[in-house]
Amino acid sequence: MHNVAGVGETKTITCNDNGVSVSGVSNTVTITGHCTTVTVSGMQNKVTLDESDQINASGFDNVVTFHSGSPDVNSGGSNVV
């Protein structure tokens, strides 16, 4: 599993059928490849990903965009998936 945390970070990660966890505040994360799960928490994170089986979003004002597939989406708070 890849973990991304911090404040104001910009990262690019490659997923090879593994999971990614993003937390913190105002991070911009680009994820390429296929993920099993993507979990986003914290505040005002922007996550763009190719494909994931499951997307979990908690926290506030996070924006998650996926390009393909039909992931199982679990979203709470004021998040947009």
Side-chain angles (χ1 to χ4, degrees):
M1 166 143 341
H2 294 287
N3 292 306
V4 177
V7 176
E9 304 265 342
T10 299
K11 302 243 180 194
T12 300
I13 296 170
T14 301
C15 240
N16 293 313
D17 295 325
N18 53 337
V20 175
S21 174
V22 178
S23 62
V25 179
S26 298
N27 295 300
T28 301
V29 181
T30 302
I31 304 169
T32 60
H34 174 264
C35 299
T36 54
T37 60
V38 173
T39 302
V40 181
S41 60
M43 296 174 52
Q44 299 174 341
N45 294 297
K46 290 180 176 59
V47 179
T48 304
L49 59 114
D50 285 341
E51 185 177 14
S52 180
D53 297 333
Q54 183 174 26
I55 297 172
N56 301 306
S58 61
F60 299 96
D61 300 328
N62 295 302
V63 177
V64 181
T65 304
F66 62 92
H67 293 295
S68 63
S70 298
D72 178 22
V73 175
N74 300 303
S75 179
S78 57
N79 300 293
V80 177
V81 177

